Amino acid sequence: MNHFDNYHQSFNSTQGEISQLISEIERSSNDQAVARNTRDIHQGIESLKNNLRSMEMELSGLGALVRSRYESQVNQCKSQVQTLERRFAQAKDSSRRNIERENLFGGTSATTTMAHDSLTTATRDLDRLKGASRTTNDLVNLGGEMLGRLHEQGQRLENTERTLDRGHAEVDRGESLISTMRRRVTTNKCIQYCIIFVLIALIAFLLFILITR
């Protein structure tokens, strides 16, 4: 389970970074910092989901007894992702209120323009990230299908090999039976020749006796 442990360790590391970024958003009223952290959090959450999918793929190749020991960790990771998403939504609301309050009491039009530009850039980056995430998900699904097909082909090859082994065993038994029958035929022929020879000898002896009288 080295791969599973690596994915789980990466998950925990990324989760800690995201949690710290969310805390920064909750306390921040800086538009650019919020936009930058928002982009990083979206990327981090997608990374967590990819790690989850990788862990689930690792579990699919295990036996039931081994898999049950790790399923609880996967379920816990899913719950942690949902908690982070809720915290992130609440942090964005809190940050938006902070920014609005800052603009209302001490903001300028230049600051508002910069905030709008930063949010627009973050939105474009988020759209590109979503597109990349969809592509990654498609590749992961395709890889899973290919692994499943390879597993089925491997099982078919194993079944074919077992069938060939049984066929070879039957051929060996048939050859042994044929050899035994050949030996029996040869033995019977020898016995028949011996009987014929004895009969001929008896007949010749009787004829000799009759002639000599």
Side-chain angles (χ1 to χ4, degrees), residues 8-81:
H8 191 257
Q9 184 178 1
S10 176
F11 180 95
N12 290 334
S13 177
T14 304
Q15 179 197 3
E17 295 173 359
I18 293 174
S19 180
Q20 183 177 357
L21 291 174
I22 291 175
S23 298
E24 292 177 5
I25 288 179
E26 291 172 344
R27 298 189 301 266
S28 177
S29 59
N30 186 300
D31 299 350
Q32 294 180 345
V34 170
R36 184 176 59 254
N37 290 341
T38 297
R39 183 173 60 252
D40 293 339
I41 289 172
H42 279 297
Q43 293 175 350
I45 289 176
E46 287 301 323
S47 177
L48 291 180
K49 292 180 179 179
N50 287 334
N51 279 334
L52 272 175
R53 283 188 287 269
S54 298
M55 285 189 284
E56 289 175 341
M57 288 182 63
E58 287 293 323
L59 289 181
S60 64
L62 299 176
L65 294 177
V66 180
R67 185 168 59 249
S68 62
R69 296 204 305 265
Y70 293 94
E71 285 178 343
S72 61
Q73 296 184 27
V74 173
N75 293 332
Q76 183 180 2
C77 290
K78 290 180 179 178
S79 176
Q80 290 171 350
V81 170

Side-chain angles (χ1 to χ4, degrees), residues 163-188:
T163 302
L164 289 174
D165 290 339
R166 288 195 294 269
H168 289 317
E170 293 294 334
V171 170
D172 292 338
R173 283 196 292 270
E175 290 178 351
S176 177
L177 179 61
I178 290 172
S179 299
T180 302
M181 293 176 66
R182 285 177 179 174
R183 288 194 296 272
R184 289 180 180 176
V185 169
T186 302
T187 302
N188 290 337

Side-chain angles (χ1 to χ4, degrees), residues 26-206:
E26 291 172 344
R27 298 189 301 266
S28 177
S29 59
N30 186 300
D31 299 350
Q32 294 180 345
V34 170
R36 184 176 59 254
N37 290 341
T38 297
R39 183 173 60 252
D40 293 339
I41 289 172
H42 279 297
Q43 293 175 350
I45 289 176
E46 287 301 323
S47 177
L48 291 180
K49 292 180 179 179
N50 287 334
N51 279 334
L52 272 175
R53 283 188 287 269
S54 298
M55 285 189 284
E56 289 175 341
M57 288 182 63
E58 287 293 323
L59 289 181
S60 64
L62 299 176
L65 294 177
V66 180
R67 185 168 59 249
S68 62
R69 296 204 305 265
Y70 293 94
E71 285 178 343
S72 61
Q73 296 184 27
V74 173
N75 293 332
Q76 183 180 2
C77 290
K78 290 180 179 178
S79 176
Q80 290 171 350
V81 170
Q82 294 174 355
T83 300
L84 286 175
E85 288 178 334
R86 286 193 299 268
R87 279 191 59 200
F88 180 39
Q90 294 171 357
K92 286 192 296 184
D93 292 337
S94 176
S95 176
R96 186 175 61 253
R97 288 192 296 269
N98 291 337
I99 292 172
E100 290 174 352
R101 186 165 52 250
E102 183 73 17
N103 290 335
L104 179 62
F105 294 102
T108 62
S109 58
T111 303
T112 303
T113 302
M114 291 176 60
H116 182 268
D117 293 340
S118 298
L119 289 175
T120 302
T121 302
T123 301
R124 286 197 300 268
D125 292 341
L126 179 59
D127 292 338
R128 287 195 294 269
L129 179 61
K130 288 181 178 179
S133 177
R134 285 192 295 268
T135 302
T136 302
N137 291 337
D138 293 339
L139 291 174
V140 170
N141 293 333
L142 179 61
E145 293 177 0
M146 292 178 65
L147 287 175
R149 292 173 184 173
L150 289 174
H151 180 67
E152 292 177 357
Q153 291 178 359
Q155 289 182 336
R156 291 174 184 171
L157 289 174
E158 290 178 357
N159 294 333
T160 302
E161 185 178 358
R162 285 194 292 269
T163 302
L164 289 174
D165 290 339
R166 288 195 294 269
H168 289 317
E170 293 294 334
V171 170
D172 292 338
R173 283 196 292 270
E175 290 178 351
S176 177
L177 179 61
I178 290 172
S179 299
T180 302
M181 293 176 66
R182 285 177 179 174
R183 288 194 296 272
R184 289 180 180 176
V185 169
T186 302
T187 302
N188 290 337
K189 284 183 179 180
C190 292
I191 292 172
Q192 289 175 0
Y193 290 150
C194 291
I195 292 173
I196 291 171
F197 177 78
V198 170
L199 289 174
I200 291 173
L202 288 173
I203 292 171
F205 179 73
L206 291 175

